[in-house]
Amino acid sequence: VQFQQETLKANLYHLSVISTNKTQFSTLAAFLMRRSLAICQNYGFKIEVLQGVEGFNDRIGLPNLIMKSLSANIECVAK
């Protein structure tokens, strides 16, 4: 899994998990959760998903759909 991480300000990060044709959404979402925990180093973080969540019927209606990267802002609790 490829990703890009950017620090926006103290305790606020932007994370993009790059989608490929072979990577399932569940893998991207699990990586986002695990990386958020690694960044914040404790539970209680907040994830604001910005893009990349597919609809329930997207794969059925659009079989050749190219998924966007899963992009989110992660806010850590103040230590």
Side-chain angles (χ1 to χ4, degrees):
V1 175
Q2 295 179 337
F3 70 97
Q4 295 176 340
Q5 180 179 324
E6 178 182 355
T7 303
L8 300 176
K9 61 180 183 179
N11 296 327
L12 184 63
Y13 303 88
H14 179 77
L15 186 65
S16 293
V17 185
I18 300 167
S19 176
T20 64
N21 291 340
K22 297 179 182 180
T23 308
Q24 294 182 353
F25 174 77
S26 59
T27 303
L28 298 176
F31 181 82
L32 177 69
M33 291 292 293
R34 290 180 180 137
R35 187 68 194 160
S36 298
L37 180 59
I39 291 169
C40 295
Q41 298 179 354
N42 60 5
Y43 290 104
F45 53 85
K46 182 175 92 173
I47 298 176
E48 178 187 5
V49 177
L50 304 174
Q51 72 175 10
V53 177
E54 63 186 47
F56 181 72
N57 291 325
D58 283 353
R59 291 286 180 189
I60 296 169
L62 303 167
N64 296 325
L65 178 66
I66 297 173
M67 295 303 301
K68 295 181 181 178
S69 297
L70 184 56
S71 178
N73 287 341
I74 298 136
E75 184 177 353
C76 302
V77 292
K79 293 179 181 178

